[in-house]
Amino acid sequence: MIEQDRMRAFINSLDPGNAPFLDELEREAKDTDVPIIRKDTQALLKFLMAQSRPKNILEVGCAIGFSALLMAEYSDDDTKITTIEKFEKRIPIARDNFTKYDKKGKITLLEGDATEILETLSPGYDFIFMDAAKGQYINFLPNCLRILNKGGLLVSDNVLQDGDVIESRFAVTRRDRTIHTRMRDYLYELKHNDQLNTVILTVGDGMTLSVKL
Ligand SMILES: C[S@@+](CC[C@H](N)C(=O)[O-])C[C@H]1O[C@@H](n2cnc3c(N)ncnc32)[C@H](O)[C@@H]1O
């Protein structure tokens, strides 16, 4: 693991960095214990914005808006981003950040539980970024598949749970067992669902990239 941490530090040290307002937001998130995407995950998202050039993005799990603003900053001018957040304390902070930094008006914040909101969304997304409660990914999947375009990408964060996912169910604390089982089920489904081709990466806390066939 130490080797892996050194490798990650080395890779991150080569990163040219983000726009200054994103650095400021990242610091604010760290200072206030808001979980946001890690450096290497940021680099991958930026790469995917440039490579797949999505026009209609959905994010599940906005927090204070860091990753939505990162995608807004590094996507095409006509890209739209819809992001969902249910935690009342974070919603006004995200709104403030969007007012300050989403100068091109790309981002729409939907307030509420993704379980209900996803039901109401119409198809047409070409990029979905799943970054909410890990135990719920498996429940969100059918709606994500319904609204994702063919050829579109489903990107899921935090799928390796700091390595816990490879441990036996009995080696993880009782408190984490449900999430452990659900994440394994999610990964199995992503790899075996006929509609998807998925690659699992050890970037960040584990990410999957799934293309809808
Ligand atoms: C890891 S944070 C998101 C970080 C954000 N994507 C970033 O990198 O800037 C996960 C967020 O998902 C929200 N969340 C968890 N379950 C949710 C649900 N069912 N519906 C809506 N939001 C949810 C949490 O409140 C939390 O703010």
Side-chain angles (χ1 to χ4, degrees):
M1 283 302 142
I2 289 172
E3 279 307 303
Q4 219 178 37
D5 289 347
R6 286 185 61 209
M7 184 67 76
R8 203 182 299 268
F10 172 71
I11 291 170
N12 289 343
S13 76
L14 294 172
D15 198 278
N18 295 325
F21 81 89
L22 287 168
D23 293 340
E24 195 183 311
L25 261 187
E26 190 177 19
R27 268 195 303 277
E28 183 189 319
K30 278 198 182 118
D31 291 347
T32 52
D33 287 328
V34 175
I36 61 164
I37 49 171
R38 299 179 189 187
K39 284 276 183 217
D40 44 349
T41 310
Q42 296 170 26
L44 183 61
L45 274 191
K46 281 162 74 173
F47 172 85
L48 291 172
M49 290 299 110
Q51 196 277 330
S52 68
R53 305 188 61 182
K55 297 289 172 221
N56 198 13
I57 298 175
L58 175 68
E59 174 181 71
V60 188
C62 169
I64 61 167
F66 176 83
S67 51
L69 283 162
L70 178 126
M71 291 190 282
E73 180 70 13
Y74 296 105
S75 55
D76 291 344
D77 281 356
D78 57 347
T79 297
K80 293 285 171 212
I81 302 169
T82 304
T83 180
I84 307 174
E85 178 57 52
K86 73 167 182 184
F87 190 10
E88 282 167 14
K89 263 174 82 175
R90 291 188 181 150
I91 290 168
I93 304 173
R95 284 214 181 280
D96 271 3
N97 287 331
F98 295 153
T99 305
K100 269 194 260 176
Y101 303 121
D102 177 27
K103 296 294 180 210
K104 296 193 176 122
K106 292 178 168 185
I107 304 173
T108 304
L109 173 59
L110 302 180
E111 302 177 14
D113 196 315
T115 312
E116 285 139 37
I117 292 177
L118 284 171
E119 291 283 344
T120 68
L121 298 178
S122 303
Y125 293 91
D126 49 8
F127 191 101
I128 298 179
F129 181 45
M130 185 93 91
D131 191 21
K134 294 182 277 247
Q136 300 223 47
Y137 287 8
I138 186 87
N139 302 327
F140 295 156
L141 186 61
N143 269 315
C144 287
L145 282 178
R146 177 181 62 79
I147 61 180
L148 184 65
N149 293 344
K150 274 191 183 160
L153 265 187
L154 168 65
V155 177
S156 311
D157 196 19
N158 303 120
V159 297
L160 297 179
Q161 305 176 298
D162 279 323
D164 270 2
V165 80
I166 62 170
E167 303 298 344
S168 129
R169 177 177 149 66
F170 300 102
V172 295
T173 56
R174 194 174 282 273
R175 191 174 55 98
D176 291 332
R177 274 187 202 157
T178 307
I179 289 186
H180 176 266
T181 304
R182 288 188 183 172
M183 189 50 82
R184 282 193 166 200
D185 290 349
Y186 183 63
L187 291 174
Y188 185 90
E189 184 62 24
L190 291 183
K191 289 295 285 186
H192 292 86
N193 188 307
D194 288 344
Q195 288 188 77
L196 294 173
N197 186 327
T198 294
V199 61
I200 303 175
L201 307 173
T202 56
V203 172
D205 187 22
M207 293 185 82
T208 52
L209 308 185
S210 310
V211 62
K212 185 168 165 183
L213 304 171

